[in-house]
mmCIF file of all heavy atoms in Angstrom:
data_model
loop_
_atom_site.group_PDB
_atom_site.id
_atom_site.type_symbol
_atom_site.label_atom_id
_atom_site.label_comp_id
_atom_site.label_asym_id
_atom_site.label_seq_id
_atom_site.Cartn_x
_atom_site.Cartn_y
_atom_site.Cartn_z
ATOM 1 N N ASP W 84 78.153 106.604 81.820
ATOM 2 C CA ASP W 84 79.548 106.739 81.439
ATOM 3 C C ASP W 84 79.709 106.474 79.942
ATOM 4 O O ASP W 84 78.732 106.216 79.226
ATOM 5 C CB ASP W 84 80.441 105.834 82.287
ATOM 6 C CG ASP W 84 80.162 104.340 82.073
ATOM 7 O OD1 ASP W 84 79.651 103.958 80.997
ATOM 8 O OD2 ASP W 84 80.464 103.544 82.990
ATOM 9 N N PHE W 85 80.934 106.535 79.442
ATOM 10 C CA PHE W 85 81.169 106.402 78.009
ATOM 11 C C PHE W 85 80.837 105.006 77.488
ATOM 12 O O PHE W 85 80.664 104.827 76.279
ATOM 13 C CB PHE W 85 82.619 106.746 77.689
ATOM 14 C CG PHE W 85 83.020 108.151 78.043
ATOM 15 C CD1 PHE W 85 84.347 108.479 78.251
ATOM 16 C CD2 PHE W 85 82.066 109.162 78.170
ATOM 17 C CE1 PHE W 85 84.722 109.767 78.579
ATOM 18 C CE2 PHE W 85 82.426 110.458 78.494
ATOM 19 C CZ PHE W 85 83.765 110.760 78.699
ATOM 20 N N GLU W 86 80.740 104.038 78.395
ATOM 21 C CA GLU W 86 80.378 102.676 78.002
ATOM 22 C C GLU W 86 78.869 102.442 78.077
ATOM 23 O O GLU W 86 78.379 101.356 77.794
ATOM 24 C CB GLU W 86 81.099 101.658 78.901
ATOM 25 C CG GLU W 86 82.614 101.696 78.807
ATOM 26 C CD GLU W 86 83.124 101.099 77.509
ATOM 27 O OE1 GLU W 86 82.347 100.434 76.809
ATOM 28 O OE2 GLU W 86 84.324 101.304 77.189
ATOM 29 N N GLY W 87 78.125 103.468 78.502
ATOM 30 C CA GLY W 87 76.678 103.357 78.579
ATOM 31 C C GLY W 87 76.136 102.878 79.906
ATOM 32 O O GLY W 87 74.925 102.652 80.047
ATOM 33 N N ASN W 88 77.014 102.727 80.907
ATOM 34 C CA ASN W 88 76.568 102.285 82.228
ATOM 35 C C ASN W 88 76.057 103.461 83.055
ATOM 36 O O ASN W 88 76.651 104.536 83.054
ATOM 37 C CB ASN W 88 77.732 101.624 82.995
ATOM 38 C CG ASN W 88 78.278 100.418 82.275
ATOM 39 O OD1 ASN W 88 77.558 99.464 82.000
ATOM 40 N ND2 ASN W 88 79.568 100.449 81.967
ATOM 41 N N LEU W 89 74.953 103.251 83.781
ATOM 42 C CA LEU W 89 74.469 104.269 84.705
ATOM 43 C C LEU W 89 75.512 104.518 85.780
ATOM 44 O O LEU W 89 76.143 103.583 86.286
ATOM 45 C CB LEU W 89 73.156 103.813 85.345
ATOM 46 C CG LEU W 89 71.920 103.813 84.447
ATOM 47 C CD1 LEU W 89 70.791 103.023 85.104
ATOM 48 C CD2 LEU W 89 71.466 105.239 84.152
ATOM 49 N N ILE W 90 75.696 105.773 86.152
ATOM 50 C CA ILE W 90 76.713 106.093 87.159
ATOM 51 C C ILE W 90 76.138 106.056 88.568
ATOM 52 O O ILE W 90 76.880 106.012 89.543
ATOM 53 C CB ILE W 90 77.366 107.461 86.893
ATOM 54 C CG1 ILE W 90 76.372 108.607 87.157
ATOM 55 C CG2 ILE W 90 77.914 107.530 85.477
ATOM 56 C CD1 ILE W 90 77.015 109.979 87.183
ATOM 57 N N HIS W 91 74.818 106.077 88.698
ATOM 58 C CA HIS W 91 74.168 106.152 90.005
ATOM 59 C C HIS W 91 73.280 104.930 90.192
ATOM 60 O O HIS W 91 72.624 104.488 89.249
ATOM 61 C CB HIS W 91 73.334 107.431 90.094
ATOM 62 C CG HIS W 91 72.847 107.759 91.475
ATOM 63 N ND1 HIS W 91 71.683 107.251 92.004
ATOM 64 C CD2 HIS W 91 73.373 108.545 92.433
ATOM 65 C CE1 HIS W 91 71.510 107.717 93.225
ATOM 66 N NE2 HIS W 91 72.518 108.500 93.510
ATOM 67 N N THR W 92 73.237 104.390 91.417
ATOM 68 C CA THR W 92 72.482 103.153 91.625
ATOM 69 C C THR W 92 71.409 103.246 92.704
ATOM 70 O O THR W 92 70.555 102.363 92.785
ATOM 71 C CB THR W 92 73.429 101.992 92.014
ATOM 72 O OG1 THR W 92 74.077 102.316 93.251
ATOM 73 C CG2 THR W 92 74.463 101.757 90.932
ATOM 74 N N ARG W 93 71.421 104.273 93.527
ATOM 75 C CA ARG W 93 70.497 104.294 94.665
ATOM 76 C C ARG W 93 69.032 104.410 94.247
ATOM 77 O O ARG W 93 68.151 104.059 95.010
ATOM 78 C CB ARG W 93 70.845 105.436 95.626
ATOM 79 C CG ARG W 93 72.059 105.156 96.498
ATOM 80 C CD ARG W 93 72.166 106.165 97.618
ATOM 81 N NE ARG W 93 73.355 105.975 98.435
ATOM 82 C CZ ARG W 93 73.414 105.167 99.492
ATOM 83 N NH1 ARG W 93 72.341 104.462 99.837
ATOM 84 N NH2 ARG W 93 74.517 105.062 100.190
ATOM 85 N N HIS W 94 68.770 104.928 93.062
ATOM 86 C CA HIS W 94 67.385 105.147 92.654
ATOM 87 C C HIS W 94 67.082 104.451 91.325
ATOM 88 O O HIS W 94 66.299 104.949 90.523
ATOM 89 C CB HIS W 94 67.086 106.648 92.543
ATOM 90 C CG HIS W 94 67.350 107.393 93.808
ATOM 91 N ND1 HIS W 94 66.527 107.309 94.901
ATOM 92 C CD2 HIS W 94 68.364 108.209 94.163
ATOM 93 C CE1 HIS W 94 67.014 108.068 95.877
ATOM 94 N NE2 HIS W 94 68.128 108.609 95.454
ATOM 95 N N LEU W 95 67.691 103.286 91.112
ATOM 96 C CA LEU W 95 67.454 102.579 89.859
ATOM 97 C C LEU W 95 65.985 102.189 89.690
ATOM 98 O O LEU W 95 65.440 102.256 88.595
ATOM 99 C CB LEU W 95 68.329 101.318 89.793
ATOM 100 C CG LEU W 95 69.814 101.544 89.471
ATOM 101 C CD1 LEU W 95 70.559 100.220 89.501
ATOM 102 C CD2 LEU W 95 69.993 102.212 88.112
ATOM 103 N N ASP W 96 65.353 101.754 90.784
ATOM 104 C CA ASP W 96 63.961 101.314 90.700
ATOM 105 C C ASP W 96 63.001 102.504 90.558
ATOM 106 O O ASP W 96 61.963 102.393 89.897
ATOM 107 C CB ASP W 96 63.585 100.493 91.927
ATOM 108 C CG ASP W 96 64.391 99.209 92.022
ATOM 109 O OD1 ASP W 96 64.784 98.700 90.965
ATOM 110 O OD2 ASP W 96 64.624 98.737 93.151
ATOM 111 N N HIS W 97 63.329 103.599 91.215
ATOM 112 C CA HIS W 97 62.461 104.782 91.169
ATOM 113 C C HIS W 97 63.328 106.019 90.935
ATOM 114 O O HIS W 97 63.568 106.802 91.849
ATOM 115 C CB HIS W 97 61.671 104.927 92.476
ATOM 116 C CG HIS W 97 60.841 103.738 92.816
ATOM 117 N ND1 HIS W 97 59.654 103.460 92.169
ATOM 118 C CD2 HIS W 97 61.018 102.741 93.713
ATOM 119 C CE1 HIS W 97 59.133 102.343 92.664
ATOM 120 N NE2 HIS W 97 59.943 101.889 93.602
ATOM 121 N N PRO W 98 63.819 106.181 89.697
ATOM 122 C CA PRO W 98 64.711 107.321 89.425
ATOM 123 C C PRO W 98 64.009 108.652 89.647
ATOM 124 O O PRO W 98 62.809 108.788 89.413
ATOM 125 C CB PRO W 98 65.084 107.122 87.950
ATOM 126 C CG PRO W 98 63.984 106.291 87.383
ATOM 127 C CD PRO W 98 63.541 105.392 88.495
ATOM 128 N N ARG W 99 64.748 109.599 90.127
ATOM 129 C CA ARG W 99 64.232 110.950 90.327
ATOM 130 C C ARG W 99 65.345 111.928 89.967
ATOM 131 O O ARG W 99 66.523 111.585 90.062
ATOM 132 C CB ARG W 99 63.816 111.167 91.782
ATOM 133 C CG ARG W 99 64.948 111.021 92.792
ATOM 134 C CD ARG W 99 64.489 111.431 94.179
ATOM 135 N NE ARG W 99 65.524 111.282 95.187
ATOM 136 C CZ ARG W 99 66.487 112.179 95.414
ATOM 137 N NH1 ARG W 99 66.567 113.262 94.653
ATOM 138 N NH2 ARG W 99 67.383 111.986 96.358
ATOM 139 N N PRO W 100 65.020 113.134 89.545
ATOM 140 C CA PRO W 100 66.067 114.111 89.252
ATOM 141 C C PRO W 100 66.935 114.341 90.481
ATOM 142 O O PRO W 100 66.435 114.421 91.603
ATOM 143 C CB PRO W 100 65.286 115.375 88.876
ATOM 144 C CG PRO W 100 63.943 114.877 88.448
ATOM 145 C CD PRO W 100 63.673 113.668 89.303
ATOM 146 N N MET W 101 68.239 114.431 90.270
ATOM 147 C CA MET W 101 69.146 114.565 91.403
ATOM 148 C C MET W 101 70.338 115.427 91.028
ATOM 149 O O MET W 101 70.963 115.228 89.983
ATOM 150 C CB MET W 101 69.621 113.177 91.858
ATOM 151 C CG MET W 101 70.479 113.189 93.097
ATOM 152 S SD MET W 101 70.809 111.509 93.668
ATOM 153 C CE MET W 101 71.959 111.851 94.995
ATOM 154 N N PHE W 102 70.636 116.399 91.886
ATOM 155 C CA PHE W 102 71.808 117.254 91.712
ATOM 156 C C PHE W 102 73.083 116.423 91.709
ATOM 157 O O PHE W 102 73.189 115.405 92.400
ATOM 158 C CB PHE W 102 71.934 118.242 92.883
ATOM 159 C CG PHE W 102 71.218 119.547 92.684
ATOM 160 C CD1 PHE W 102 70.444 120.075 93.705
ATOM 161 C CD2 PHE W 102 71.339 120.259 91.501
ATOM 162 C CE1 PHE W 102 69.800 121.292 93.545
ATOM 163 C CE2 PHE W 102 70.701 121.475 91.339
ATOM 164 C CZ PHE W 102 69.931 121.997 92.368
ATOM 165 N N ALA W 103 74.081 116.897 90.991
ATOM 166 C CA ALA W 103 75.437 116.395 91.164
ATOM 167 C C ALA W 103 76.000 116.991 92.457
ATOM 168 O O ALA W 103 75.421 117.902 93.055
ATOM 169 C CB ALA W 103 76.295 116.774 89.958
ATOM 170 N N GLU W 104 77.156 116.483 92.894
ATOM 171 C CA GLU W 104 77.665 116.836 94.228
ATOM 172 C C GLU W 104 78.082 118.300 94.355
ATOM 173 O O GLU W 104 77.794 118.936 95.377
ATOM 174 C CB GLU W 104 78.834 115.918 94.599
ATOM 175 C CG GLU W 104 78.466 114.447 94.696
ATOM 176 C CD GLU W 104 77.431 114.140 95.776
ATOM 177 O OE1 GLU W 104 77.047 115.055 96.525
ATOM 178 O OE2 GLU W 104 77.010 112.985 95.858
ATOM 179 N N ILE W 105 78.770 118.837 93.366
ATOM 180 C CA ILE W 105 79.200 120.236 93.501
ATOM 181 C C ILE W 105 78.007 121.188 93.443
ATOM 182 O O ILE W 105 77.901 122.088 94.303
ATOM 183 C CB ILE W 105 80.274 120.594 92.460
ATOM 184 C CG1 ILE W 105 81.573 119.822 92.775
ATOM 185 C CG2 ILE W 105 80.540 122.098 92.447
ATOM 186 C CD1 ILE W 105 82.709 120.081 91.809
ATOM 187 N N PRO W 106 77.073 121.041 92.499
ATOM 188 C CA PRO W 106 75.886 121.899 92.562
ATOM 189 C C PRO W 106 75.122 121.771 93.870
ATOM 190 O O PRO W 106 74.581 122.760 94.374
ATOM 191 C CB PRO W 106 75.048 121.399 91.371
ATOM 192 C CG PRO W 106 76.037 120.883 90.400
ATOM 193 C CD PRO W 106 77.108 120.247 91.248
ATOM 194 N N GLU W 107 75.090 120.560 94.436
ATOM 195 C CA GLU W 107 74.401 120.375 95.716
ATOM 196 C C GLU W 107 75.110 121.142 96.821
ATOM 197 O O GLU W 107 74.468 121.760 97.678
ATOM 198 C CB GLU W 107 74.338 118.886 96.044
ATOM 199 C CG GLU W 107 73.308 118.537 97.100
ATOM 200 C CD GLU W 107 72.990 117.067 97.157
ATOM 201 O OE1 GLU W 107 73.831 116.239 96.744
ATOM 202 O OE2 GLU W 107 71.884 116.729 97.616
ATOM 203 N N ALA W 108 76.441 121.125 96.802
ATOM 204 C CA ALA W 108 77.202 121.867 97.811
ATOM 205 C C ALA W 108 77.012 123.369 97.624
ATOM 206 O O ALA W 108 76.859 124.119 98.597
ATOM 207 C CB ALA W 108 78.681 121.495 97.727
ATOM 208 N N LEU W 109 77.013 123.825 96.374
ATOM 209 C CA LEU W 109 76.789 125.245 96.095
ATOM 210 C C LEU W 109 75.414 125.683 96.596
ATOM 211 O O LEU W 109 75.273 126.751 97.196
ATOM 212 C CB LEU W 109 76.912 125.513 94.596
ATOM 213 C CG LEU W 109 78.304 125.323 93.983
ATOM 214 C CD1 LEU W 109 78.232 125.477 92.468
ATOM 215 C CD2 LEU W 109 79.306 126.299 94.572
ATOM 216 N N ASN W 110 74.419 124.859 96.356
ATOM 217 C CA ASN W 110 73.066 125.174 96.802
ATOM 218 C C ASN W 110 72.981 125.238 98.324
ATOM 219 O O ASN W 110 72.310 126.114 98.890
ATOM 220 C CB ASN W 110 72.095 124.117 96.273
ATOM 221 C CG ASN W 110 70.651 124.431 96.637
ATOM 222 O OD1 ASN W 110 70.093 125.428 96.209
ATOM 223 N ND2 ASN W 110 70.051 123.555 97.429
ATOM 224 N N SER W 111 73.688 124.319 99.000
ATOM 225 C CA SER W 111 73.663 124.303 100.459
ATOM 226 C C SER W 111 74.327 125.545 101.041
ATOM 227 O O SER W 111 73.842 126.120 102.021
ATOM 228 C CB SER W 111 74.364 123.039 100.963
ATOM 229 O OG SER W 111 74.275 122.945 102.371
ATOM 230 N N ILE W 112 75.426 125.974 100.439
ATOM 231 C CA ILE W 112 76.099 127.187 100.918
ATOM 232 C C ILE W 112 75.195 128.403 100.689
ATOM 233 O O ILE W 112 75.050 129.268 101.567
ATOM 234 C CB ILE W 112 77.455 127.377 100.200
ATOM 235 C CG1 ILE W 112 78.423 126.261 100.595
ATOM 236 C CG2 ILE W 112 78.051 128.747 100.549
ATOM 237 C CD1 ILE W 112 79.716 126.253 99.799
ATOM 238 N N SER W 113 74.581 128.469 99.509
ATOM 239 C CA SER W 113 73.678 129.578 99.215
ATOM 240 C C SER W 113 72.513 129.616 100.212
ATOM 241 O O SER W 113 72.125 130.696 100.697
ATOM 242 C CB SER W 113 73.146 129.442 97.785
ATOM 243 O OG SER W 113 72.237 130.481 97.478
ATOM 244 N N HIS W 114 71.985 128.436 100.527
ATOM 245 C CA HIS W 114 70.881 128.364 101.487
ATOM 246 C C HIS W 114 71.338 128.819 102.868
ATOM 247 O O HIS W 114 70.579 129.477 103.591
ATOM 248 C CB HIS W 114 70.349 126.940 101.542
ATOM 249 C CG HIS W 114 69.158 126.769 102.447
ATOM 250 N ND1 HIS W 114 67.981 127.488 102.280
ATOM 251 C CD2 HIS W 114 68.954 125.968 103.542
ATOM 252 C CE1 HIS W 114 67.125 127.144 103.215
ATOM 253 N NE2 HIS W 114 67.684 126.241 103.996
ATOM 254 N N TRP W 115 72.586 128.493 103.231
ATOM 255 C CA TRP W 115 73.114 128.944 104.521
ATOM 256 C C TRP W 115 73.109 130.465 104.595
ATOM 257 O O TRP W 115 72.741 131.044 105.626
ATOM 258 C CB TRP W 115 74.540 128.416 104.729
ATOM 259 C CG TRP W 115 75.104 128.810 106.055
ATOM 260 C CD1 TRP W 115 75.041 128.103 107.226
ATOM 261 C CD2 TRP W 115 75.809 130.024 106.371
ATOM 262 N NE1 TRP W 115 75.658 128.796 108.249
ATOM 263 C CE2 TRP W 115 76.127 129.984 107.751
ATOM 264 C CE3 TRP W 115 76.195 131.127 105.631
ATOM 265 C CZ2 TRP W 115 76.820 131.003 108.393
ATOM 266 C CZ3 TRP W 115 76.879 132.165 106.272
ATOM 267 C CH2 TRP W 115 77.186 132.099 107.640
ATOM 268 N N PHE W 116 73.477 131.120 103.507
ATOM 269 C CA PHE W 116 73.474 132.589 103.505
ATOM 270 C C PHE W 116 72.053 133.139 103.660
ATOM 271 O O PHE W 116 71.847 134.153 104.332
ATOM 272 C CB PHE W 116 74.126 133.113 102.227
ATOM 273 C CG PHE W 116 75.625 133.222 102.314
ATOM 274 C CD1 PHE W 116 76.444 132.202 101.856
ATOM 275 C CD2 PHE W 116 76.211 134.342 102.878
ATOM 276 C CE1 PHE W 116 77.823 132.297 101.956
ATOM 277 C CE2 PHE W 116 77.597 134.451 102.994
ATOM 278 C CZ PHE W 116 78.405 133.409 102.521
ATOM 279 N N ASP W 117 71.080 132.471 103.064
ATOM 280 C CA ASP W 117 69.685 132.892 103.244
ATOM 281 C C ASP W 117 69.289 132.790 104.719
ATOM 282 O O ASP W 117 68.673 133.716 105.276
ATOM 283 C CB ASP W 117 68.747 132.019 102.401
ATOM 284 C CG ASP W 117 68.882 132.286 100.921
ATOM 285 O OD1 ASP W 117 69.362 133.376 100.551
ATOM 286 O OD2 ASP W 117 68.527 131.393 100.124
ATOM 287 N N LEU W 118 69.635 131.658 105.332
ATOM 288 C CA LEU W 118 69.291 131.463 106.749
ATOM 289 C C LEU W 118 70.041 132.449 107.634
ATOM 290 O O LEU W 118 69.501 132.945 108.630
ATOM 291 C CB LEU W 118 69.623 130.029 107.166
ATOM 292 C CG LEU W 118 68.807 128.912 106.503
ATOM 293 C CD1 LEU W 118 69.322 127.546 106.967
ATOM 294 C CD2 LEU W 118 67.327 129.055 106.835
ATOM 295 N N ASN W 119 71.278 132.748 107.262
ATOM 296 C CA ASN W 119 72.078 133.669 108.066
ATOM 297 C C ASN W 119 71.497 135.074 108.011
ATOM 298 O O ASN W 119 71.460 135.786 109.029
ATOM 299 C CB ASN W 119 73.521 133.681 107.556
ATOM 300 C CG ASN W 119 74.465 134.388 108.514
ATOM 301 O OD1 ASN W 119 74.488 134.089 109.701
ATOM 302 N ND2 ASN W 119 75.241 135.314 107.995
ATOM 303 N N THR W 120 71.014 135.479 106.847
ATOM 304 C CA THR W 120 70.366 136.796 106.728
ATOM 305 C C THR W 120 69.120 136.863 107.610
ATOM 306 O O THR W 120 68.881 137.864 108.305
ATOM 307 C CB THR W 120 69.990 137.074 105.260
ATOM 308 O OG1 THR W 120 71.171 137.110 104.467
ATOM 309 C CG2 THR W 120 69.256 138.403 105.137
ATOM 310 N N GLN W 121 68.341 135.782 107.592
ATOM 311 C CA GLN W 121 67.144 135.734 108.440
ATOM 312 C C GLN W 121 67.510 135.834 109.914
ATOM 313 O O GLN W 121 66.845 136.542 110.694
ATOM 314 C CB GLN W 121 66.376 134.437 108.186
ATOM 315 C CG GLN W 121 65.726 134.343 106.823
ATOM 316 C CD GLN W 121 65.030 133.022 106.603
ATOM 317 O OE1 GLN W 121 64.718 132.305 107.556
ATOM 318 N NE2 GLN W 121 64.799 132.672 105.348
ATOM 319 N N SER W 122 68.562 135.137 110.313
ATOM 320 C CA SER W 122 68.958 135.156 111.729
ATOM 321 C C SER W 122 69.407 136.548 112.152
ATOM 322 O O SER W 122 69.146 136.988 113.280
ATOM 323 C CB SER W 122 70.076 134.144 111.978
ATOM 324 O OG SER W 122 71.295 134.552 111.381
ATOM 325 N N GLN W 123 70.080 137.259 111.246
ATOM 326 C CA GLN W 123 70.515 138.611 111.563
ATOM 327 C C GLN W 123 69.316 139.549 111.671
ATOM 328 O O GLN W 123 69.275 140.413 112.564
ATOM 329 C CB GLN W 123 71.485 139.112 110.493
ATOM 330 C CG GLN W 123 72.819 138.374 110.494
ATOM 331 C CD GLN W 123 73.691 138.736 109.306
ATOM 332 O OE1 GLN W 123 73.240 139.379 108.353
ATOM 333 N NE2 GLN W 123 74.950 138.319 109.340
ATOM 334 N N GLU W 124 68.349 139.378 110.795
ATOM 335 C CA GLU W 124 67.151 140.232 110.831
ATOM 336 C C GLU W 124 66.313 139.964 112.074
ATOM 337 O O GLU W 124 65.688 140.879 112.625
ATOM 338 C CB GLU W 124 66.307 139.988 109.569
ATOM 339 C CG GLU W 124 66.978 140.482 108.293
ATOM 340 C CD GLU W 124 66.201 140.078 107.059
ATOM 341 O OE1 GLU W 124 65.287 139.213 107.178
ATOM 342 O OE2 GLU W 124 66.497 140.607 105.968
ATOM 343 N N GLN W 125 66.306 138.699 112.524
ATOM 344 C CA GLN W 125 65.468 138.316 113.664
ATOM 345 C C GLN W 125 66.256 138.280 114.978
ATOM 346 O O GLN W 125 65.715 137.924 116.022
ATOM 347 C CB GLN W 125 64.843 136.945 113.389
ATOM 348 C CG GLN W 125 63.945 136.942 112.169
ATOM 349 C CD GLN W 125 63.512 135.551 111.758
ATOM 350 O OE1 GLN W 125 63.766 134.572 112.465
ATOM 351 N NE2 GLN W 125 62.865 135.436 110.604
ATOM 352 N N ASN W 126 67.554 138.638 114.901
ATOM 353 C CA ASN W 126 68.405 138.652 116.078
ATOM 354 C C ASN W 126 68.420 137.291 116.781
ATOM 355 O O ASN W 126 68.284 137.206 118.010
ATOM 356 C CB ASN W 126 67.973 139.758 117.050
ATOM 357 C CG ASN W 126 69.050 140.076 118.071
ATOM 358 O OD1 ASN W 126 70.244 139.925 117.801
ATOM 359 N ND2 ASN W 126 68.631 140.504 119.265
ATOM 360 N N THR W 127 68.586 136.244 115.993
ATOM 361 C CA THR W 127 68.666 134.876 116.519
ATOM 362 C C THR W 127 70.055 134.306 116.200
ATOM 363 O O THR W 127 70.786 134.869 115.384
ATOM 364 C CB THR W 127 67.579 133.988 115.896
ATOM 365 O OG1 THR W 127 67.716 134.018 114.462
ATOM 366 C CG2 THR W 127 66.183 134.466 116.281
#
Side-chain angles (χ1 to χ4, degrees):
D84 64 25
F85 299 158
E86 298 287 346
N88 300 302
L89 288 166
I90 70 169
H91 192 274
T92 62
R93 284 193 183 272
H94 303 286
L95 284 178
D96 297 331
H97 303 285
R99 61 172 179 82
M101 185 173 174
F102 270 134
E104 298 298 356
I105 292 179
E107 197 165 24
L109 294 174
N110 183 64
S111 184
I112 294 172
S113 178
H114 183 58
W115 182 91
F116 274 95
D117 290 338
L118 294 177
N119 192 51
T120 298
Q121 291 178 19
S122 70
Q123 292 172 349
E124 292 173 347
Q125 299 170 8
N126 197 29
T127 57

